Amino acid sequence: MEFQFRINYKNKSDEELMVLINKGKEKAFNEIYERYSKKLFLFFYQKLYRDNNKAQDFLQDLFLKLIEKAKLFDYNKSFSSWIYCIAYNMCKNEYRNNATRKDKTINLNVEELKNDDTSSIIINNEDDFLLFKKSLNNELGKLNEKHSVTFTLRHQDNMSIKEISEIMACSEGTVKSRLFYATKKLSVKLKKFSSIKI
């Protein structure tokens, strides 16, 4: 009699799950979907003009691409960077197809921004927080796509400089430069918040 060991997918790393997906294990795909679908839906929703239907369509397309391109995944690299790279490229193609970018607003994790050494923005209370968030979204919509996406990958998706450089196919120095530029520009535009004390 042969014993079959039950695989505990929840304990597997993303990269290990990709190995199993390549072997046709549906539960491995379900686990990856469970881990990333909400985050990636939010990514698409924020980058694609807050259009719920478009974000859902892009999310489904992304996971179809994951299945189709699973064999192309390099197991020595981070799965998170790889999947965000595909998502970012899908958005870039959409921007090209839509010459006119409508109300692109981005909802950031402002706590991360407050703790970042490069930021001079200080938030006081809930009202200030909401006003700041609205103003920040508005100003981010005015930045070019590369600066805006770099900034949000860092502060919302908590990506490292290295991960962002892989996603955006540029050097780490370029990522730092874009972050510096975006933060400086936003600090100037939102300087009224710098006088508010925690």
Side-chain angles (χ1 to χ4, degrees), residues 16-196:
E16 288 170 329
L17 289 172
M18 284 302 289
V19 172
L20 294 168
I21 287 170
N22 261 320
K23 291 179 179 176
K25 302 287 186 186
E26 187 179 342
K27 287 183 178 176
F29 175 82
N30 293 342
E31 179 62 25
I32 281 282
Y33 188 87
E34 183 71 25
R35 290 180 191 182
Y36 282 90
S37 59
K38 287 180 184 172
K39 289 190 281 189
L40 286 163
F41 170 78
L42 190 59
F43 178 87
F44 284 130
Y45 180 72
Q46 292 165 344
K47 306 297 182 279
L48 299 172
Y49 326 112
R50 304 181 86 76
D51 183 326
N52 188 70
N53 291 332
K54 192 181 283 288
Q56 288 285 2
D57 289 344
F58 271 64
L59 182 68
Q60 297 314 312
D61 286 348
L62 175 64
F63 278 97
L64 280 174
K65 285 178 192 294
L66 183 148
I67 293 169
E68 291 165 3
K69 296 175 183 280
K71 286 184 169 56
L72 300 176
F73 176 64
D74 180 349
Y75 299 100
N76 296 314
K77 294 192 175 173
S78 155
F79 171 81
S80 177
S81 295
W82 184 73
I83 195 76
Y84 270 95
C85 186
I86 296 172
Y88 170 65
N89 285 331
M90 288 171 71
C91 290
K92 269 206 317 194
N93 291 337
E94 177 67 11
Y95 294 152
R96 283 193 199 105
N97 295 338
N98 273 321
T100 53
R101 285 163 57 192
K102 320 170 218 178
D103 296 316
K104 186 167 84 70
T105 56
I106 299 173
N107 181 26
L108 290 181
N109 179 345
V110 180
E111 286 304 313
E112 285 294 318
L113 179 62
K114 281 163 58 179
N115 295 329
D116 192 288
D117 292 338
T118 60
S119 175
S120 62
I121 310 287
I122 303 168
I123 309 299
N124 186 18
N125 56 40
E126 190 62 27
D127 289 338
D128 289 332
F129 173 84
L130 293 173
L131 180 60
F132 170 75
K133 198 159 116 173
K134 185 176 177 184
S135 301
L136 178 61
N137 283 335
N138 185 44
E139 294 303 329
L140 274 167
K142 296 176 186 175
L143 293 178
N144 74 37
E145 171 235 334
K146 286 179 180 173
H147 290 107
S148 173
V149 172
T150 302
F151 190 85
T152 53
L153 283 172
R154 178 73 171 146
H155 294 290
Q156 172 197 303
D157 298 310
N158 301 316
M159 296 278 182
S160 68
I161 301 294
K162 185 170 187 245
E163 287 172 320
I164 297 169
S165 77
E166 289 172 6
I167 290 166
M168 302 191 73
C170 64
S171 71
E172 292 183 27
T174 300
V175 172
K176 289 175 184 175
S177 173
R178 288 175 184 168
L179 282 171
F180 175 80
Y181 173 86
T183 304
K184 187 173 180 184
K185 189 108 176 167
L186 291 169
S187 293
V188 169
K189 294 290 183 182
L190 302 170
K191 63 184 176 185
K192 63 183 177 183
F193 293 98
S194 63
S195 62
I196 300 169

Side-chain angles (χ1 to χ4, degrees), residues 9-21:
Y9 294 96
K10 296 218 173 283
N11 289 342
K12 296 286 183 191
S13 69
D14 296 338
E15 294 73 25
E16 288 170 329
L17 289 172
M18 284 302 289
V19 172
L20 294 168
I21 287 170

